[in-house]
Amino acid sequence: MSELINVEELFGVNVFSMAKMRERLPKNVYKEVKKVATYGGELSMDTANVVAKAMKDWAIEKGATHFTHWFQPLTGITAEKHDAFVSHPDEDGRMLTEFSGKELIKGEPDASSFPSGGLRATFEARGYTAWDITSPAFLKESSCGKILCIPTAFCSYTGEALDKKTPLLRSMEVLSEQALRIVRLFGNTDATKVTASVGAEQEYFLVDKDLFMQRDDLMYAGRTLFGALPPKGQEMDDHYFGVIRERVGAFMKDLNEELWKLGVTAKTQHNEVAPAQHELAPIYETANIAVDHNQLVMETMKRVAIQHSLRCLLHEKPYAGVNGSGKHDNWSITTDDGVNLLDPGDTPNKNIQFLLVLSCILKAVDTHAALLRQSAADVGNDQRLGADEAPPAIISVFLGEQLDDVVRQLVETGDALHVKKGGKLKTGVKSLPDFEKDATDRNRTSPFAFTGNKFEFRMVGSADSVASPNTVLNTIVAEAFCEAADKLEKAKDFEIAVHDLIKENFSAHERIIFNGDGYSEEWVKEAERRGLPNIKSTIEAAEALTTKQTVDLFAKFHVFNKTELESRQEIIYENYAKTINIEALTMIQMASKKIIPAVIKYSRHLAETINAMTTAGVEPKVEKALLKDINSNLEKMQKALEKLQRDEQKAATVEGAKKRAFFYKDTITKDMAALRTPADELEMLVDKNTWPIPTYGELMFEV
Ligand code: ADP
Ligand code: MG
């Protein structure tokens, strides 16, 4: 048996938390830190020096040798540049460790190679990192040793955000300000802050390392680009919540321990729908910390997988034909005196504040559906959204029976007089208790579902940062709150005005509510009839970033300026083209160096067999038919390969990031599909021992 684990002792051992600061800092210093962390502002340099010293001492006691400003550039993952805690040796040649307040608060990585969408080219190449005091510093353990990581925001010399965190922090402040105006209207004078909370459920696949290494596509693209479906996929539903296999269990155990040490509240784990697919969900926390922690979750998954001779696939669609991976972004907003604004209570029809908040959220989501869709878009997610297992690319809101009924009453009569109750769930077994049922059932097909006291945004891709979706959510809801507060603060009769506004919001934006099967063909048609956008690809979605509506929204609340939005859009186009280019080149390599040679070898074997049989006087009927079939697919493959190669050359000459991205989407991805089809046919025709790469069956079932 393995050693006992004490979760309480393990939790947060590698985090320089507020509790550790309270222990290690002089009282007045701690107080200043706490104040700035809660209400914003700047630390004085004296305080920063004291904090830096305490942080360094703690880190060195724990065996750290380096520190880094840990930030989230627009690559979607995190970046770090390690600096040792060393200074010039003194006269006796002794090394004194050093880490100043200035080094804690501000960094200047030479970050000119990060994507900036042209932002810095026109100004200065400099980028600065600034400590996000609200997210605790932590120690990362890896083969590099122990590194003190200081979560930071990353901005250009002129103050433009070069990362995913800065706008998120801006959006959280904006949401807080506007939500406070709402709760004040309802007589809450105690709350001083409203916080967005996020719980990001992370889906992932595991694959054996040796098999992974034999697949160029998994190595370079993170997903399979060839592969026929195995005889068994997910149709038996036997993997979902199934018993966790030993090897996977050992991985999960180590993963949890590593995450707990980092203060990540890894909570639930289970097998997902597809074979070799799993999920980890942490307990929700303040949005920016949840975003940081989700990055740590993804990074730790990859690292621990390697230790178990596995590889963790975070791609949204590693395998065609089975479920892809997403990241459900659970989101709610809570006042610092403990009121979750999304909690309907037992009688939502009488909870006016809740109804106003809900109506504002519906308005926000309907008004900015295209932008919200964009916030969940990435190249990998294009393989998933709109495919039959994932939420469609159409944004709609699921409210559940109870709230739907309340909204309907409000829209139809102006009053919601009654509320549907869940009632008792009768088990029919004497020894089992009867349960109070929830008033709403779940709807797993909705991209934006109300689930009890939070919304669950299910479009987000598994590999993507959750920063953008939450930045958008916070800002669009802040806008709706702002518009409501503008009206209501001026109202002569608040009761009547709020009643009218709720009805107006629900009536105007009812079209965004959909409680049916989001995966059905009928919904696609119905959504079109309702005028809801259905945006299929990342690069089409990117247009939403620079529409007048979006630019005005973000400018009003100072979350993004126009230049920042344009640069992000540019990066999306560039990134799209680069990603598809890598995939195309990988396919070309696999087809020409592995698959086609293997097929030729097998064809030759067949041809020799046919000749030998004919000489022996036996009619090689089956062999001939097989050879013919193989040969016709091989011809198709060769033709498709040549076309892809030609178009790849063309792609390189297309001028302009946007045009190039669309060329990749409209031409290259079609060429890739044309190459894949005959190759997958051939996989079914050619002898297993000759097939040069591990099959889907091996990849998914041999973990
Ligand atoms: P399910 O898979 O059934 O949706 P999980 O337990 O896997 O449920 O994940 C639910 C996620 O939602 C968890 O991360 C949980 O902490 C988070 N969550 C629960 N309540 C809230 C809330 N009020 N605000 C934000 N997130 C929440
Ligand atoms: Mg879950």
Side-chain angles (χ1 to χ4, degrees):
M1 279 306 283
S2 55
E3 82 285 17
L4 289 176
I5 297 161
N6 184 332
V7 182
E8 276 179 32
E9 270 175 27
L10 204 60
F11 191 79
V13 289
N14 283 345
V15 183
F16 195 62
S17 58
M18 275 294 164
K20 292 209 180 78
M21 289 208 233
R22 193 169 51 220
E23 260 168 46
R24 288 170 172 260
L25 293 174
K27 223 179 183 156
N28 59 330
V29 173
Y30 171 74
K31 263 191 169 159
E32 192 183 330
V33 170
K34 177 94 187 161
K35 200 174 112 218
V36 173
T38 316
Y39 300 108
E42 259 180 66
L43 286 187
S44 69
M45 201 35 93
D46 287 345
T47 304
N49 280 326
V50 179
V51 178
K53 166 102 178 34
M55 198 185 268
K56 182 201 76 180
D57 290 347
W58 169 79
I60 287 179
E61 270 166 46
K62 303 216 47 115
T65 52
H66 291 69
F67 73 93
T68 180
H69 276 199
W70 185 73
F71 58 104
Q72 304 177 20
L74 297 171
T75 50
I77 52 174
T78 61
E80 50 194 73
K81 173 189 161 207
H82 304 164
D83 268 297
F85 287 119
V86 298
S87 59
H88 283 295
D90 67 8
E91 285 163 7
D92 301 328
R94 273 179 315 207
M95 175 62 65
L96 296 173
T97 57
E98 204 176 66
F99 181 53
S100 66
K102 194 165 160 260
E103 287 172 298
L104 166 64
I105 291 182
K106 196 180 119 196
E108 194 188 332
D110 175 19
S112 45
S113 296
F114 288 112
S116 73
L119 248 190
R120 276 168 306 156
T122 45
F123 302 99
E124 282 252 11
R126 278 185 178 164
Y128 291 97
T129 49
W131 183 26
D132 170 15
I133 195 172
T134 60
S135 184
F138 58 91
L139 285 184
K140 203 147 83 176
E141 291 176 277
S142 69
S143 47
C144 286
K146 290 188 183 177
I147 313 289
L148 171 67
C149 296
I150 300 153
T152 56
F154 178 44
C155 295
S156 77
Y157 185 68
T158 44
E160 262 110 7
L162 295 171
D163 67 351
K164 304 228 168 194
K165 172 168 257 189
T166 310
L168 174 70
L169 293 172
R170 292 174 185 161
S171 76
M172 288 169 68
E173 282 178 16
V174 167
L175 178 67
S176 178
E177 262 165 49
Q178 300 304 327
L180 276 178
R181 293 176 68 193
I182 298 293
V183 298
R184 293 276 185 267
L185 286 166
F186 289 88
N188 182 334
T189 49
D190 295 336
T192 59
K193 189 179 172 178
V194 176
T195 306
S197 301
V198 168
E201 300 166 56
Q202 178 71 49
E203 292 181 335
Y204 61 97
F205 279 84
L206 290 175
V207 60
D208 179 82
K209 176 202 133 202
D210 292 334
L211 298 173
F212 172 92
M213 299 296 274
Q214 293 170 50
R215 298 269 326 202
D216 298 0
D217 46 6
L218 287 180
M219 280 203 295
Y220 300 128
R223 72 170 175 119
T224 54
L225 298 164
F226 293 103
L229 279 184
K232 178 176 187 240
Q234 63 190 44
E235 56 279 81
M236 302 297 285
D237 290 327
D238 53 352
H239 192 256
Y240 191 52
F241 284 12
V243 175
I244 294 168
R245 274 165 291 179
E246 281 293 298
R247 190 171 177 199
V248 174
F251 161 84
M252 287 180 171
K253 175 176 173 292
D254 284 355
L255 174 64
N256 285 331
E257 285 173 30
E258 288 304 309
L259 290 174
W260 290 333
K261 283 199 242 169
L262 289 165
V264 179
T265 49
K267 168 88 174 154
T268 50
Q269 60 192 29
H270 61 80
N271 286 351
E272 259 299 332
V273 174
Q277 189 188 27
H278 311 279
E279 182 189 291
L280 179 146
I283 297 175
Y284 66 97
E285 51 197 343
T286 306
N288 64 315
I289 300 176
V291 168
D292 287 0
H293 280 173
N294 180 250
Q295 291 287 351
L296 286 179
V297 166
M298 292 195 284
E299 205 181 301
T300 311
M301 280 177 169
K302 287 191 177 163
R303 187 163 51 78
V304 174
I306 291 173
Q307 291 162 358
H308 287 257
S309 297
L310 295 163
R311 287 293 182 273
C312 174
L313 305 177
L314 292 173
H315 195 284
E316 284 79 7
K317 196 81 178 176
Y319 306 108
V322 297
N323 266 25
S325 299
K327 182 140 53 194
H328 294 179
D329 185 74
N330 293 273
W331 177 90
S332 65
I333 37 183
T334 315
T335 63
D336 58 352
D337 63 344
V339 182
N340 176 357
L341 301 184
L342 292 182
D343 188 354
D346 289 337
T347 46
N349 56 327
K350 295 189 193 134
N351 187 344
I352 306 300
Q353 179 177 299
F354 169 77
L355 289 175
L356 177 63
V357 167
L358 184 69
S359 77
C360 286
I361 294 176
L362 284 193
K363 175 181 173 180
V365 171
D366 185 28
T367 308
H368 297 286
L371 179 63
L372 193 57
R373 155 74 180 99
Q374 188 287 318
S375 76
D378 77 21
V379 197
N381 221 7
D382 282 3
Q383 303 293 327
R384 177 177 163 258
L385 293 182
D388 59 346
E389 114 283 345
I394 308 161
I395 295 269
S396 65
V397 179
F398 169 78
L399 288 181
E401 207 184 320
Q402 189 190 52
L403 288 183
D404 194 44
D405 174 58
V406 171
V407 171
R408 208 160 299 271
Q409 291 177 59
L410 281 167
V411 170
E412 280 163 15
T413 68
D415 275 310
L417 298 174
H418 48 83
V419 59
K420 289 188 176 175
K421 292 278 179 202
K424 285 256 190 236
L425 177 102
K426 301 227 181 289
T427 55
V429 178
K430 283 205 188 75
S431 57
L432 291 178
D434 289 339
F435 297 104
E436 275 304 327
K437 275 201 290 196
D438 282 335
T440 54
D441 195 7
R442 293 290 193 100
N443 177 326
R444 298 259 164 211
T445 63
S446 173
F448 199 80
F450 186 75
T451 44
N453 61 0
K454 59 180 162 82
F455 273 102
E456 189 172 341
F457 183 32
R458 303 201 180 110
M459 259 189 189
V460 187
S462 49
D464 213 2
S465 159
V466 279
S468 300
N470 290 300
T471 304
V472 168
L473 266 176
N474 293 342
T475 315
I476 62 177
V477 172
E479 181 192 54
F481 283 168
C482 176
E483 285 165 4
D486 284 348
K487 268 193 191 160
L488 297 175
E489 283 164 0
K490 285 198 289 249
K492 288 209 180 66
D493 185 328
F494 175 71
E495 301 295 320
I496 293 180
V498 74
H499 182 272
D500 288 351
L501 182 58
I502 291 171
K503 183 169 182 230
E504 183 189 315
N505 280 349
F506 281 139
S507 307
H509 302 286
E510 209 185 1
R511 66 169 189 169
I512 198 77
I513 301 174
F514 179 64
N515 288 309
D517 179 0
Y519 295 177
S520 66
E521 221 7 78
E522 295 86 77
W523 170 231
V524 176
K525 291 198 196 99
E526 167 66 13
E528 194 180 333
R529 204 185 53 74
R530 293 190 193 181
L532 300 177
N534 182 1
I535 307 166
K536 296 277 168 49
S537 73
T538 291
I539 50 176
E540 286 158 293
E543 318 227 330
L545 280 175
T546 50
T547 56
K548 182 168 182 317
Q549 192 186 24
T550 300
V551 172
D552 289 350
L553 164 81
F554 285 128
K556 178 172 177 188
F557 296 104
H558 308 289
V559 172
F560 285 114
N561 61 33
K562 192 161 181 239
T563 322
E564 288 171 325
L565 289 166
E566 283 166 352
S567 76
R568 268 151 224 256
Q569 189 183 51
E570 185 82 359
I571 290 170
I572 291 169
Y573 295 138
E574 284 171 5
N575 189 44
Y576 184 91
K578 284 182 196 164
T579 306
I580 306 289
N581 182 43
I582 291 171
E583 292 187 347
L585 294 179
T586 305
M587 283 188 93
I588 291 172
Q589 177 167 317
M590 288 174 80
S592 49
K593 297 234 183 272
K594 287 194 170 157
I595 300 176
I596 292 177
V599 174
I600 291 176
K601 198 167 145 199
Y602 186 64
S603 303
R604 182 183 157 170
H605 168 72
L606 271 181
E608 281 168 4
T609 309
I610 289 166
N611 284 341
M613 285 172 76
T614 313
T615 313
V618 187
E619 171 68 21
K621 246 184 168 166
V622 176
E623 292 78 1
K624 269 188 174 165
L626 188 56
L627 184 58
K628 217 170 136 202
D629 203 355
I630 288 176
N631 206 42
S632 113
N633 276 300
L634 190 60
E635 262 175 43
K636 279 186 208 151
M637 223 186 131
Q638 181 62 25
K639 235 168 113 187
L641 176 64
E642 281 163 14
K643 174 148 175 22
L644 178 58
Q645 281 168 321
R646 269 198 314 273
D647 286 339
E648 265 289 308
Q649 285 186 344
K650 255 193 232 160
T653 65
V654 179
E655 297 277 347
K658 180 174 179 181
K659 268 210 177 131
R660 197 169 328 117
F662 274 92
F663 184 82
Y664 273 101
K665 176 175 95 63
D666 295 331
T667 306
I668 301 288
T669 64
K670 297 213 168 78
D671 292 348
M672 286 163 60
L675 178 58
R676 177 173 181 153
T677 309
D680 290 357
E681 285 288 328
L682 284 164
E683 185 182 335
M684 306 299 285
L685 297 172
V686 168
D687 174 17
K688 167 95 188 52
N689 295 323
T690 323
W691 197 248
I693 50 177
T695 63
Y696 265 29
E698 289 163 330
L699 293 169
M700 283 191 272
F701 289 95
E702 290 182 19
V703 178

